[in-house]
Amino acid sequence: MVAARYQTAFQLYPYERVPDQDAPRPSRFPVVIVGGGPVGMGLALDLGKKGVGCLVLDDHDGVGMGSRAICFSKRTLEICDRLGCGEPMVEKGVVWNLGRVYRDTEEIYSFNLLPEEGHKRPAFINLQQPYFEQFIVEEIRRQQDLGAPIEIRGQNQLTALTQNEDYTLLDVDTPDGPYQIEADYLVACDGASSPMREMLGLGFEGRVFEDNFLIADIKMKADFPVERRFWFDPPFNRGETALMHKQPDNVWRLDFQLGWDIDRKAELDPDKVASRVSAMIGENVEFEPVWSSIYTFRCCTMKEYRHGRIFFAGDSAHQVSPFGARGCNGGIQDIDNLGWKLAAVIQGHAPDALLDSYHTERKHGALENIKNSSRSADFLTPRNPAHALFRDAVLDLVTDFDFARPLVNSGRLSVPCTYDLSPLNSDDGMPDGPACTRPGSPLPDAPLENGYLLDRLNTGAFSILALNCNLPKQLEVAEQALDCFTLQNVTGHLAERYLGEAQSAVLLIRPDQHVAGRWPSFDPKVIEAAMYTACGRT
């Protein structure tokens, strides 16, 4: 029997008995994804749009209660645009770019996360995770109606697995009893406590931070500004920190640092939570409690993200502190990286070796997130007197000296990862070109006469971007048909981000909108070699 681990907010995929439960032998699936959160569902949507059959197993029948992840970055929204579900997220979400930092009651620092113009999407939106997941599942349903080979099975719990040379045998439990299936490839998106990780006897490398934080989601109508507000040592939480964010539906996220040695039950008492909230927002401000939780965190990663035909993504592979919104955003970048590689191998366009680059690139991304997240945590919760002295000195200096402002670390917010050392990159043919479009970089957006660049390049396949030079609409390169997008008379943000001082440029774009290579002009032999490299071929 499948036990419920949490209460659901939306029932999106209720349990249904399937023919596989009565089959004489296990059915085989190209990809099985364990875990139906935003990472697992995002991967299923990406694979399904590419025509790759996939099955999602989730031990619940919908999205869990509570806001949980709420800050979704510009890069995540761009990925969701490619998947077809970005627009409703932005329409529902609360858009913000500005953050403010306070010490006691004095503002000491503010920052704009999107200081440059010419991007379709904002730096961040705030959107409760249940809505984020719901929009992905709704797009999966639309794609299913169009024939995408995606299946979701709710209240189907993986209980055991057996690895074989060319597939993995899965034991699955349901309300009607157990059955078995087989997977050519298996992806663990089953969260921080990952049962799959335990089944394989795999662990984490990293550390636990000794602190506790209270999340209190409340509903209120208030004229507080729509921005990220962070406090050091506020009068309503002396000696600790606090954070305020607005979410949709007049819900606000309040976050209070509590310290390490606490009585969790007492801190979650509704009266005590209400007292903390009133002290923060004002005694006369009416509010309605929505959800509260206490969390601790750790910054850690698995040693390897690939184990034969099994892959780990999202929190099952790596975990970070919540400061900087690098958890779910990092997980979405995981599946953005893995999806096209699985599709390329399964459909015969690339060798199995391409899948090794998933670990190489995303372990790099995870270590980058862990480094920034750990530094934020050390600033917020100093580990020793030296760290505390440094933090207090920075806060003393920041109001009068500009050089100290970048040292204030209330959470280095999520930015996309550049795969500088990826084996899929070709040598940079424009070493003096703009740094933001060097090989390995995610494509920066830019306005066009009609729309935005990333919307033109959201094919989910390899493509070529040609600036100020002529190419046909399609080219046959390394046995694949590549769409070519040619733009003439390039100026403004597009020239700044893609040309620099160069007169023209040609870029090979990966399916995940990262740059595989760039050159000042078109050379078919160079492009072909770069294509082989980007597909993991020699």
Side-chain angles (χ1 to χ4, degrees):
M1 186 66 180
V2 181
R5 293 182 291 112
Y6 50 78
Q7 184 180 356
T8 54
F10 308 126
Q11 187 188 56
L12 297 177
Y13 30 90
Y15 170 75
E16 295 181 3
R17 189 173 180 87
V18 295
D20 288 346
Q21 291 170 263
D22 302 308
R25 68 169 313 279
S27 298
R28 178 80 70 94
F29 294 85
V31 180
V32 173
I33 301 163
V34 179
V39 175
M41 290 300 181
L43 178 59
L45 178 55
D46 196 10
L47 291 171
K49 286 171 69 76
K50 290 177 168 61
V52 176
C54 58
L55 167 66
V56 180
L57 301 176
D58 193 85
D59 58 359
H60 285 67
D61 58 7
V63 181
M65 289 286 289
S67 59
R68 295 172 289 155
I70 65 167
C71 294
F72 295 99
S73 69
K74 174 178 174 289
R75 180 60 185 151
T76 292
L77 297 176
E78 291 166 351
I79 293 169
C80 289
D81 279 340
R82 181 176 62 76
L83 297 178
C85 52
E87 195 62 37
M89 293 174 179
V90 176
E91 289 178 357
K92 181 67 176 179
V94 174
V95 174
W96 66 279
N97 293 318
L98 187 65
R100 299 186 186 276
V101 180
Y102 300 83
R103 189 182 193 186
D104 198 344
T105 59
E106 179 187 3
E107 181 181 332
I108 59 173
Y109 181 48
S110 64
F111 54 89
N112 188 339
L113 290 166
L114 195 65
E116 61 180 18
E117 297 179 350
H119 296 266
K120 177 181 177 181
R121 292 308 185 196
F124 278 88
I125 64 166
N126 286 351
L127 179 70
Q128 295 93 324
Q129 185 173 327
Y131 285 129
F132 187 85
E133 293 185 35
Q134 180 183 22
F135 291 136
I136 295 176
V137 174
E138 288 175 351
E139 182 59 28
I140 286 176
R141 298 306 188 198
R142 283 189 285 271
Q143 293 298 322
Q144 287 174 325
D145 290 341
L146 295 173
I150 309 170
E151 185 178 354
I152 304 172
R153 296 181 185 176
Q155 290 186 272
N156 276 239
Q157 181 179 29
L158 177 67
T159 58
L161 60 87
T162 304
Q163 290 180 280
N164 296 282
E165 184 177 350
D166 60 349
Y167 71 96
T168 303
L169 177 66
L170 309 180
D171 290 281
V172 182
D173 196 14
T174 74
D176 289 329
Y179 71 105
Q180 292 183 318
I181 56 174
E182 296 172 353
D184 292 336
Y185 294 96
L186 180 62
V187 185
C189 302
D190 52 348
S193 299
S194 182
M196 273 188 59
R197 201 174 57 236
E198 293 186 7
M199 291 175 194
L200 294 175
L202 302 172
F204 270 140
E205 301 170 344
R207 64 187 177 107
V208 175
F209 286 79
E210 295 185 352
D211 214 329
N212 292 279
F213 294 81
L214 169 70
I215 291 175
D217 281 356
I218 62 170
K219 181 171 286 190
M220 66 174 176
K221 292 184 178 180
D223 57 359
F224 297 128
V226 180
E227 55 195 26
R228 182 182 190 263
R229 303 173 75 195
F230 190 96
W231 287 266
F232 290 97
D233 190 29
F236 53 83
N237 198 30
R238 280 297 180 204
E240 308 290 359
T241 63
L243 176 68
M244 176 185 284
H245 261 309
K246 186 177 183 181
Q247 305 174 60
D249 304 331
N250 290 318
V251 175
W252 294 75
R253 158 74 63 84
L254 311 182
D255 201 311
F256 302 89
Q257 185 181 13
L258 301 179
W260 181 241
D261 189 16
I262 65 167
D263 183 334
R264 295 173 69 93
K265 183 177 179 181
E267 290 292 347
L268 284 171
D269 179 84
D271 291 337
K272 187 161 188 177
V273 173
S275 177
R276 285 189 181 276
V277 170
S278 293
M280 183 180 196
I281 66 175
E283 297 292 340
N284 297 322
V285 178
E286 295 184 359
F287 69 90
E288 175 188 342
V290 175
W291 178 69
S292 60
S293 178
I294 290 177
Y295 67 89
T296 57
F297 60 87
R298 54 183 175 172
C299 292
C300 50
T301 176
M302 294 179 67
K303 185 176 181 180
E304 299 286 339
Y305 294 175
R306 180 184 186 185
H307 294 264
R309 289 177 168 265
I310 300 177
F311 301 84
F312 288 81
D315 285 349
S316 71
H318 46 75
Q319 294 169 39
V320 295
S321 81
F323 311 114
R326 292 174 179 268
C328 190
N329 288 302
I332 295 298
Q333 290 183 50
D334 285 350
I335 58 98
D336 187 45
N337 187 286
L338 180 59
W340 73 268
K341 295 173 181 178
L342 280 172
V345 172
I346 290 170
Q347 294 171 341
H349 299 308
D352 178 81
L354 175 64
L355 297 173
D356 291 335
S357 69
Y358 166 69
H359 164 78
T360 303
E361 293 183 338
R362 290 312 303 157
K363 180 71 175 285
H364 167 71
L367 292 175
E368 185 177 279
N369 284 331
I370 288 170
K371 177 184 70 175
N372 283 282
S373 182
S374 297
R375 287 176 178 174
S376 297
D378 285 337
F379 195 86
L380 299 176
T381 60
R383 285 188 288 166
N384 54 50
H387 283 166
L389 181 64
F390 171 76
R391 185 188 73 173
D392 292 343
V394 169
L395 296 177
D396 287 339
L397 291 169
V398 71
T399 53
D400 298 318
F401 298 96
D402 290 347
F403 80 86
R405 291 181 178 177
L407 302 176
V408 177
N409 195 336
S410 62
R412 295 281 186 261
L413 288 155
S414 176
V415 295
C417 180
T418 297
Y419 307 131
D420 279 315
L421 301 179
S422 171
L424 307 187
N425 294 346
S426 292
D427 291 339
D428 192 354
M430 299 174 61
D432 296 324
C436 63
T437 46
R438 66 189 185 273
S441 300
L443 289 179
D445 206 0
L448 305 177
E449 287 187 10
N450 297 304
Y452 284 86
L453 179 66
L454 292 188
D455 285 342
R456 292 278 301 275
L457 298 170
N458 66 355
T459 64
F462 277 97
S463 59
I464 295 174
L465 174 63
L467 306 175
N468 291 341
C469 53
N470 291 314
L471 265 71
K473 290 186 177 181
Q474 196 171 75
L475 286 170
E476 188 79 17
V477 180
E479 303 173 3
Q480 294 189 52
L482 272 60
D483 289 331
C484 301
F485 299 90
T486 301
L487 299 172
Q488 302 287 1
N489 303 316
V490 174
T491 59
H493 294 299
L494 189 61
E496 177 186 333
R497 294 165 192 168
Y498 286 82
L499 292 178
E501 299 300 320
Q503 297 301 308
S504 61
V506 175
L507 292 89
L508 177 62
I509 311 301
R510 295 176 6 171
D512 58 0
Q513 295 183 332
H514 280 251
V515 178
R518 65 175 179 178
W519 307 270
S521 60
F522 177 69
D523 183 328
K525 292 184 178 181
V526 170
I527 294 286
E528 183 172 43
M531 186 67 181
Y532 278 117
T533 298
C535 289
R537 296 180 177 180
T538 56

